[in-house]
Amino acid sequence: MPPKKAAAAEKKVLLGRPSNNLKIGIVGLPNVGKSSFFNVLSNTDLGKAANFPYATINPEEARIPVPDVRFDWLCDLYKPASRVPAFLTCIDIAGLTAGASTGAGLGNAFLSHVRAVDGIFQVVRAFDDAEVIHVEGDVDPLRDMEIIQTELRLKDIEWVEKHLDGLKRTGRSLGNNSLADKARKEEIATVEKIYKTLTVDGKDVRKCEWNNKEIEVVNGLTLLTAKPITYLVNLSEKDYIRKKNKWLAKIKGWIDAHNPGDPLIPFSVSLEERLAQLPDDERVEAQKEPGAQSALGKITQAGYSSLDLIRYFTCGPDEVRAWTIRKGTKAPQAAGVIHSDFENKFVCGEIMTYEDLKEHGSETAVKAAGKLRQQGKPYEMVDGDIAYWKSG
């Protein structure tokens, strides 16, 4: 009798909205450089940058091209008429202040804007400038990070308390027999675990281990502390170029203690603003100076990755295009990003890897080397795949 096959490992459900159209919000205290950063990142002047709190009230939105050397290489190879890179949708959200969770300032409106995004760029001010006022009176990034974390967590606690009360009120009459009653009891237990994580354990929701059933409950609550955070430390141009700042090690220590694993990227809005004003050729020359390289590409890629986004490519003389999907997306759903008919009438995908195309130099050579694969409905897309879809 042949041995039984080992059960396939359960595929981990991702935290967050099950969508390919995810957004990242720029969050921080007032006057830390959020709107100025948004403007240089988006190459616009949509964000209202001013030297007073609440200069931004309504959130602004921009689509930022995600730099990718693979996309550039494919464009050089195919020389297409149209080039469409992957994009990251970025939202400039007004400054949060202490007490925002209870409605201080314009707190309730701002926190609803945070709830509407899927990830967070948290801008932390680590530069001294007497001309740029600080809402708390002096520059102290650790205090600022504590304020943001506390306000997001307090709002989540309030949200979870309300939800838990509602569940318990309707849960008093639950029995043990029906599947629906058992599912509701499991949901109550999960929400109680979320509440304990936030209050007793003092942790953000994304820093707790959840099984797939629990993640579905977490995702249904759209909690602020379940969203991935990338910390962006805004330095003076001088400190950024010399790679020294009195706060950087302390900020890294705070992240390691409170939210281990969250990425930290130092950058300088003042340097980015100066580079943005230069003509293209002068900008390239200016970045050859030691330490004066723009961090915007690195930041954009970090935000894209934090949302568990990947891209695949379609290539030809008419167009080279990067299509954004979430990690774990199967071939039919990836094809459906182009057109719903490709998903509904999916037959197969002809897939090659970027690495194979680069190694062999042409599609014909890839095919001759036996590296062009036909993949069916179960195939899970890999970042950098090059795909041609066949549909009925």
Side-chain angles (χ1 to χ4, degrees), residues 12 193 197 203-212 214-215 218:
K12 187 76 171 170
K193 180 180 173 182
T197 298
K203 290 166 74 174
D204 283 359
V205 170
R206 71 186 185 285
K207 293 302 175 186
C208 186
E209 282 297 317
W210 308 98
N211 64 36
N212 283 353
E214 290 170 336
I215 286 175
V218 172

Side-chain angles (χ1 to χ4, degrees), residues 64-295:
I64 319 299
V66 182
D68 189 336
V69 293
R70 300 171 302 182
F71 176 78
D72 297 337
W73 186 86
L74 290 169
C75 289
D76 287 343
L77 178 68
Y78 286 92
K79 299 180 173 47
S82 170
R83 306 174 179 210
V84 185
F87 288 94
L88 176 68
T89 303
C90 200
I91 315 287
D92 181 24
I93 297 172
L96 290 174
T97 53
S101 58
T102 56
L106 299 170
N108 287 327
F110 296 165
L111 287 166
S112 72
H113 297 155
V114 179
R115 195 178 299 285
V117 299
D118 304 284
I120 294 170
F121 279 147
Q122 185 171 327
V123 179
V124 181
R125 176 174 170 178
F127 66 89
D128 291 304
D129 187 339
E131 292 183 6
V132 181
I133 60 171
H134 193 293
V135 73
E136 292 291 326
D138 62 341
V139 174
D140 183 346
L142 304 188
R143 175 204 58 214
D144 295 355
M145 292 159 81
E146 203 74 59
I147 287 171
I148 297 290
Q149 182 175 60
T150 300
E151 295 306 320
L152 298 183
R153 206 175 277 173
L154 285 174
K155 200 64 185 177
D156 274 357
I157 290 169
E158 179 193 325
W159 193 266
V160 172
E161 278 177 341
K162 284 181 182 173
H163 190 69
L164 193 54
D165 284 347
L167 285 174
K168 284 182 173 177
R169 271 199 304 274
T170 59
R172 289 183 189 129
S173 59
L174 293 177
N176 294 311
N177 299 326
S178 78
L179 288 174
D181 284 358
K182 286 178 181 176
R184 179 55 66 93
K185 284 184 174 180
E186 286 176 4
E187 183 183 356
I188 291 171
T190 299
V191 177
E192 285 175 333
K193 180 180 173 182
I194 295 168
Y195 186 71
K196 178 180 176 289
T197 298
L198 290 163
T199 53
V200 179
D201 302 340
K203 290 166 74 174
D204 283 359
V205 170
R206 71 186 185 285
K207 293 302 175 186
C208 186
E209 282 297 317
W210 308 98
N211 64 36
N212 283 353
K213 277 190 176 178
E214 290 170 336
I215 286 175
E216 286 173 6
V217 176
V218 172
N219 287 346
L221 290 169
T222 61
L223 297 171
L224 304 175
T225 64
K227 302 177 191 298
I229 295 181
T230 303
Y231 292 93
L232 307 179
V233 183
N234 187 9
L235 308 173
S236 68
E237 183 172 342
K238 179 183 173 185
D239 282 1
Y240 177 75
I241 288 173
R242 68 191 183 121
K243 303 266 186 286
K244 284 186 180 176
N245 177 275
K246 64 182 179 181
W247 291 108
L248 270 179
K250 293 175 184 175
I251 292 169
K252 176 72 168 66
W254 187 95
I255 293 170
D256 289 345
H258 293 82
N259 289 316
D262 284 356
L264 178 160
I265 303 176
F267 78 116
S268 170
V269 165
S270 56
L271 170 69
E272 302 295 353
E273 287 180 323
R274 181 171 66 80
L275 291 174
Q277 291 167 4
L278 298 173
D280 290 348
D281 54 341
E282 289 183 32
R283 190 182 309 128
V284 171
E285 283 303 310
Q287 291 184 76
K288 290 179 181 175
E289 295 290 324
Q293 291 75 38
S294 169

Side-chain angles (χ1 to χ4, degrees), residues 330-332 346-349 374-380 389:
K330 297 284 177 69
F346 182 86
V347 175
C348 70
Q374 280 209 342
Q375 299 288 7
K377 291 180 179 179
Y379 178 70
E380 189 174 300
W389 304 116

